[in-house]
Amino acid sequence: RRAGASIRSIDIAGMLVKLDEATTTVMFYEGARFHQQRYNEHGAKLADMADLVRDGLLISVDRYDEARRYIAERKARMTEMYKATPVILVPSATGPAPSGLASTGDARMNAPWTALGTPAISIPLPVRGGLPLGLQLTAEHGEDARVIRTAVRLQASLTEARLRTLRAQLNPHFLFNTLNTIAVLVRDGDKTAARLVEPHGFLAHERLVIRVADEKNETNRASGVMSGLLAVKPRTPGSGL
């Protein structure tokens, strides 16, 4: 809103759940029949694909047709909804990405838009203590350019908000106290503090004042500076770094 965007809530949670179920039904029904011959030849060697074929062959034609009808009805409904809300924002996933490579995560927030055939794009949102959580933008079929323009604008607004937060944290009083602490520790021979003032230490950055001239580079620079400053803040008087 601060950046001039008009925002309103819409209730599509129930629809997204049903669309995900309908999409799964269609995928399993069609996938099972497409891969049935391979399954007959190789069986359990197909691993997850074998499970898909076994489950998909149990889906009746009536259930398959019902799922396709629901998807078609929702396409028409969403066309009307996009007239009032040209871009709809939803999470890209139900939570941050899982650790490791065993899974790509839960696709429930992506499958509905695939079924609807709408353009969708995700931008990263930092999550404290975890991997980024994406914010997904969608629009009417054929409105790819609108989604991209909106994503670029929103990413810029989020970057500006993050920089404002960093500037507020990097106040002169805190910076003065931190530099004074470093000076004392360097004189006392503290090796960690000494590394901070080496030619390639974080204090060697050509500027500590954060600007918004180059958002991506400045955000990275600001994050590095804040990490360095927080690392050198003494936990207790006399405890060192």
Side-chain angles (χ1 to χ4, degrees), residues 34-193:
F34 182 84
H35 294 287
Q36 186 173 7
Q37 182 176 345
R38 293 179 61 209
Y39 174 73
N40 292 338
E41 295 173 1
H42 305 287
K45 293 180 180 179
L46 297 180
D48 292 343
M49 185 62 68
D51 294 334
L52 181 148
V53 173
R54 283 192 294 266
D55 294 341
L57 291 176
L58 298 176
I59 298 174
S60 66
V61 175
D62 290 342
R63 182 181 167 195
Y64 170 67
D65 289 340
E66 181 182 355
R68 292 188 64 191
R69 281 195 298 271
Y70 182 79
I71 292 173
E73 291 169 358
R74 292 306 95 188
K75 285 183 178 180
R77 175 73 182 92
M78 288 303 298
T79 295
E80 294 301 315
M81 190 172 292
Y82 278 125
K83 291 179 180 178
T85 311
V87 177
I88 295 177
L89 280 66
V90 296
S92 296
T94 55
S99 300
L101 301 176
S103 170
T104 57
D106 193 325
R108 281 179 292 175
M109 298 306 297
N110 309 125
W113 311 106
T114 299
L116 295 172
T118 61
I121 188 172
S122 293
I123 57 177
L125 286 177
V127 177
R128 185 182 297 274
L131 294 174
L133 175 64
L135 179 63
Q136 187 172 207
L137 292 78
T138 73
E140 172 66 318
H141 177 75
E143 291 290 339
D144 303 59
R146 180 192 293 273
V147 171
I148 294 173
R149 287 196 305 269
T150 306
V152 170
R153 179 183 175 189
L154 182 56
Q155 180 68 63
S157 296
L158 292 173
T159 300
E160 169 60 23
R162 187 181 179 196
L163 287 171
R164 283 198 300 269
T165 301
L166 289 170
R167 280 196 295 267
Q169 293 174 348
L170 192 59
N171 61 73
H173 180 71
F174 173 58
L175 182 58
F176 174 82
N177 287 341
T178 301
L179 294 176
N180 186 60
T181 299
I182 293 172
V184 172
L185 292 173
V186 169
R187 285 197 298 269
D188 291 344
D190 189 289
K191 294 182 179 179
T192 302

